[in-house]
Amino acid sequence: MTTIIKGNIIHAPELGRLDILPGGHLVLEDGVIQAISQALPKEYAGLPVTDYGDKLILQSFADCHLHGSQYPFLGTGMDVTLLDWLQKYAFPVEKRFADVNYARMVYRQLAEELIANGTTRVIMFSSLHADGTLVLMEELERAGISGYVGKVNMDRNGSDELHETTEESISETLRWLDHCGQFRSVKPILTPRFTPSCTDELMAWLGKTSRERDLYVHSHLSENDREIAWVHQLHPGCERYWETYAKFGLWKDHTVMAHCVYSDETERKAMREHNVMAVHCPDSNVNVRSGIAPVRRMLEEGNWVSLGSDIAGGAHLSMLEVMTCAIRSSKLKSTEDGTQPLNAAEAYYLGTTAGHRYFGAGKGFAIGDRLHAVVVDDSRLCSVGEMSLSDRLERALYRVSRQEIKAVYAEGKLVKCS
Ligand code: GUN
Ligand code: FE
């Protein structure tokens, strides 16, 4: 089936480059982009067009690091730093996901809020509960979101109530994986919480399983100074944090590492050499006072960097908020190290194309990709006069909320319209 949509198209095929087509057309065949052009290609003349008028057609957002099981305490618990925060806030809430009914209620609301905010692809931690994780996968798929979801592995340094033995972690991970075949657009990803949470035996098993079953890996890296010191104590033989993953076969193509606030040149080089994606989570890094990641350096050096809300370390689910937070924190970083702050076009690229790439997507709205897009009605927002479309994009990042997101396309289908 052919679908044609028309509006002010703005996409970001490269870091810092916007391609803008005022009143442009996107032509889809069964949801797959066939053409993107200012004028409608002749061969499609006469077919019905969904005309979004003066609205903006933007790429939808990819949230490359968030914790589904922390959604209930989003926006609270901001008074301590990472390791205390885990014990005081995260673990007591995550333990509640042993109850699948609770999981269903929370994850349904979360999936609805993600779509309403234009996030159509995610890479997500669940909790250590296999059944709750399957519920999360079901609810994402039901809402039209695609992604990678992981049952969390943590066989040490949890709490009295949030803990699994090594044997439980392995058998529950296998049981969870056995049920993942039922999903079309949500896939499993192995998820050791972070090095302090997993024994060597569990890490080795995860590395072997990742190799044997061809599964990607998602974890945390170099987020906080106390965490890093702890990792050194646990693995005195490893000079740097990343080596504690590499040692067990977990540092490889498409490994996802959240934060990387303190990743030095060596660690950043190891990321490039293995095609590891760093996920910058600026809101979370401020809230739990971890620090500011050297994003400009990483980008200059050619690292693969995307963005994550990291809820509930991050307090905002909307990737628009995460993008502007990335801009703000890059400005603070620039006062320290003299690097150039991110601009709106760059933040938009990091929250869209850079993350969609994890899913095999091309650059911007690329021919051959299934459409992932949002339609934004910014007519309610004030302006001094005529605005360029690039200014309207910047204003959208700072000012648009879910009310202005009028339609969302995911995997080529219209999944929300209002
Ligand atoms: N490191 C280990 N677990 C977590 C978590 O839940 N959130 C964040 N931000 N960092 C972590
Ligand atoms: Fe996290």
Side-chain angles (χ1 to χ4, degrees), residues 177-283:
L177 289 172
D178 279 348
H179 287 87
C180 287
Q182 63 184 293
F183 305 110
R184 267 177 310 103
S185 55
V186 182
K187 300 196 175 102
I189 186 164
L190 294 178
T191 307
R193 181 169 206 124
F194 65 158
T195 296
S197 294
C198 298
T199 60
D200 289 7
E201 189 187 345
L202 183 56
M203 292 284 253
W205 182 82
L206 289 167
K208 178 168 92 57
T209 304
S210 155
R211 192 177 61 252
E212 287 173 358
R213 298 194 177 215
D214 204 14
L215 293 167
Y216 293 152
V217 175
H218 181 195
S219 194
H220 295 94
L221 182 74
S222 300
E223 177 178 3
N224 158 289
D225 51 3
R226 274 175 62 206
E227 170 212 18
I228 293 168
W230 194 13
V231 169
H232 281 309
Q233 264 174 20
L234 293 166
H235 290 272
C238 290
E239 228 171 89
R240 293 194 172 71
Y241 196 160
W242 73 274
E243 295 168 41
T244 66
Y245 294 113
K247 184 163 139 181
F248 299 107
L250 295 163
W251 188 265
K252 51 180 212 165
D253 179 41
H254 277 70
T255 288
V256 184
M257 283 290 159
H259 304 297
C260 310
V261 173
Y262 297 100
S263 294
D264 64 2
E265 263 174 55
T266 324
E267 197 156 271
R268 302 198 295 258
K269 180 158 173 275
M271 288 183 211
R272 293 194 295 281
E273 286 174 352
H274 293 83
N275 203 32
V276 167
M277 179 172 76
V279 186
H280 178 40
C281 305
D283 188 26

Side-chain angles (χ1 to χ4, degrees), residues 366-377:
I367 308 277
D369 282 356
R370 291 190 181 281
L371 183 68
H372 281 259
V374 295
V375 178
V376 170
D377 180 358

Side-chain angles (χ1 to χ4, degrees), residues 65-67 70 125 220 223 258-259 281 284 310-311:
H65 178 74
L66 72 161
H67 298 256
Q70 295 175 8
F125 274 53
H220 295 94
E223 177 178 3
H259 304 297
C281 305
S284 167
D310 192 30
I311 69 158

